[in-house]
Amino acid sequence: LGAFWSVRGDHMRVVSITGAFADLVAADWYPPDELADTTRAAAAVVLYNAMVLTEERSRPIRDLLARLGTSEDGDRRVNALVRAVLVYDPADEAGMARRLDELVADPDPYVQAAGLQRRSHLLENSGDPAGAVAAAERALALPGEVDGPWSAAIVRAQLAGLHMQLGNRTEAVAHARTALPVLDRLGATDDVIQLRSTLVLAAVACGRLDEAAAELVELERLVVHGRQVLGGMASVRLTAAELTLARGEVAAGLAAYQDAVAEMRVATALGIPTTGLEPWVLFGESATLTAFALYGGDEQLAAGDELFLACLRRGLRALDADRPHLDYPVCGTVLFGLAAWGLVRSALPAAEAVRLLVLAERFAYNRTLPTMAWENLEPYAERSAPGRISALRAEYGNRGGPDLLGEARQTLDRHRCRL
């Protein structure tokens, strides 16, 4: 069932089982021989879907899977998934690159594919979406043994999201349109929702508003009648808000943004306690703050100031080197949102706001929404602090998000007194 739900894109159904599974195995339970393969497969599927959201809760499952390992005469696909899931171990991050290299070099195409997809996810999470694209493209190009059309379609869906994050809308749309018919036929509603959001946002960014509106109708139908992707309606509201703003309906667009962020704050996966640092919360608040900065009037000033403080508070918590699975692009959106309010509304000294902007760039912040385009803030930065962007880029050299985490934390710390 876990594999079936994964193919159907019903990831939250798998995630919701994590707590019960962890409770079952927490007391040093070990399967009898006749259940070893079943347990191995179930644990691998649950961890693959849930590891980012439930690291602490899923530790007993990971420990059990590490003891089980792979099976010499077991299913090759399960063995590949087991190896890919166990690549990341918070207790041994130094060995991660070596283990990934071993997977990618393995002669078994299932292992190669699992390794490349895992590498793509980890590179994106660490702030290297271009490297993530390269890994996913290698996975897509693997010849030979595949499990029907889903394998390629899900990689294309991954590539569509990565290209949108980078602002490469032409490439994103091409991958989305190729993957959509396959995932639609399979009933992978959650994945289809994400792909249709890509088509709407790309059309908005290119000024094709009638096309965007037509796609949005289908997108809203999917959310209402399909399964509820985590924060799905809120995500669609962000998409709709972008179209509304593009039409010049500023008040309605900003109201849609507020509705979306309110829903994102309460969205949860079954059985997983909320922390306020969920990626959809950080992204939603930051995008809303940016929209308020760029398009809001005096009537949005108080709400924007409140949101600025909320983003600052969450940013200080999120930029913690001890947090497992620290998501650099999501943290980058927080830095971008703070920079936007700081620059456009003069809420920060210009030099500090531009520093946050360049740090957001180095964190590979997510540019999926047209509002989050770099070009929207760059003119404000050049007017407020001419040449500062270039100077900071030179100062930071080739360093990316992981190397600049301390710098970002210190920058936010300087404004903690506002809280």
Side-chain angles (χ1 to χ4, degrees):
L1 278 174
F4 172 71
W5 291 334
S6 296
V7 170
R8 292 266 295 184
D10 201 357
H11 308 294
M12 286 304 107
R13 179 173 283 185
V14 184
V15 171
S16 69
I17 293 172
T18 304
F21 200 144
D23 289 341
L24 173 68
V25 304
D28 295 326
W29 179 84
Y30 198 79
D33 290 345
E34 66 270 18
L35 291 180
D37 284 342
T38 301
T39 305
R40 181 181 291 110
V45 169
V46 168
L47 283 176
Y48 190 82
N49 281 274
M51 64 172 65
V52 173
L53 293 176
T54 60
E55 175 59 42
E56 182 177 348
R57 191 71 180 90
S58 62
R59 170 53 73 176
I61 307 174
R62 176 180 291 278
D63 291 343
L64 173 64
L65 189 59
R67 295 198 303 272
L68 283 169
T70 57
S71 172
E72 290 185 9
D73 56 352
D75 190 303
R76 290 166 57 199
R77 293 164 297 184
V78 172
N79 282 339
L81 185 60
V82 168
R83 292 180 63 184
V85 165
L86 292 178
V87 157
Y88 180 76
D89 183 352
D92 183 26
E93 290 193 52
M96 183 171 65
R98 172 183 53 78
R99 292 191 294 273
L100 270 175
D101 288 341
E102 290 173 357
L103 296 190
V104 171
D106 195 284
D108 188 328
Y110 287 120
V111 176
Q112 281 188 53
L116 286 166
Q117 286 182 266
R118 190 73 187 113
R119 172 177 278 173
S120 181
H121 285 298
L122 291 170
L123 286 172
E124 187 277 335
N125 197 70
S126 65
D128 184 8
V133 166
E137 286 177 341
R138 283 186 61 189
L140 187 63
L142 285 175
E145 301 173 67
V146 292
D147 297 317
W150 176 78
S151 299
I154 203 62
V155 176
R156 286 192 180 277
Q158 184 179 344
L159 280 164
L162 287 168
H163 279 296
M164 282 298 284
Q165 182 174 327
L166 286 163
N168 302 332
R169 297 184 181 92
T170 300
E171 294 87 343
V173 168
H175 284 296
R177 291 202 181 281
T178 304
L180 259 172
V182 176
L183 296 175
D184 202 20
R185 288 200 305 273
L186 289 169
T189 308
D190 294 3
D191 295 319
V192 170
I193 286 171
Q194 299 303 318
L195 290 174
R196 289 209 174 276
S197 294
T198 292
L199 297 181
V200 175
L201 293 169
V204 169
C206 296
R208 301 192 303 270
L209 302 189
D210 289 342
E211 176 186 331
E215 287 286 356
L216 183 61
V217 170
E218 176 61 16
L219 179 57
E220 290 173 333
R221 183 193 67 79
L222 284 168
V223 174
V224 171
H225 297 291
R227 295 184 309 274
Q228 193 61 222
V229 61
L230 184 60
M233 183 58 77
S235 176
V236 172
R237 283 184 176 145
L238 286 183
T239 304
E242 286 289 326
L243 175 57
T244 305
L245 288 173
R247 286 171 163 165
E249 301 169 23
V250 174
L254 294 178
Y257 254 109
Q258 284 183 294
D259 288 344
V261 79
E263 185 167 332
M264 285 176 164
R265 284 169 172 165
V266 298
T268 183
L270 294 175
I272 301 174
T274 57
T275 65
L277 299 182
E278 289 75 22
W280 53 89
V281 174
L282 296 174
F283 180 80
E285 287 190 344
S286 305
T288 303
L289 180 59
T290 305
F292 274 38
L294 292 171
Y295 307 114
D298 291 342
E299 61 274 22
Q300 280 86 29
L301 188 59
D305 281 336
E306 182 180 343
L307 199 52
F308 173 82
L309 295 178
C311 287
L312 177 58
R313 189 177 296 108
R314 292 193 205 274
L316 285 165
R317 292 174 59 205
L319 294 172
D320 182 350
D322 294 328
R323 282 184 66 216
H325 303 296
L326 197 152
D327 191 319
Y328 284 90
V330 169
C331 289
T333 64
V334 177
L335 300 176
F336 189 87
L338 293 170
W341 194 254
L343 279 169
V344 181
R345 300 308 176 105
S346 301
L348 291 171
E352 287 286 87
V354 177
R355 185 176 292 276
L356 288 173
L357 182 62
V358 176
L359 284 167
E361 181 184 46
R362 291 307 175 96
F363 275 55
Y365 81 93
N366 193 315
R367 308 184 187 202
T368 297
L369 299 174
T371 289
M372 302 296 281
W374 174 266
E375 295 76 16
N376 290 341
L377 287 191
E378 188 175 25
Y380 288 97
E382 290 300 334
R383 283 197 298 271
S384 301
R388 180 72 172 161
I389 290 177
S390 296
L392 285 168
R393 284 171 172 169
E395 176 186 334
Y396 293 152
N398 294 324
R399 288 182 289 166
D403 301 315
L404 292 169
L405 179 59
E407 172 80 8
R409 174 77 192 197
Q410 289 171 15
T411 303
L412 295 191
D413 264 330
R414 287 196 287 271
H415 304 282
R416 185 187 290 273
C417 60
R418 295 168 177 263
L419 299 175

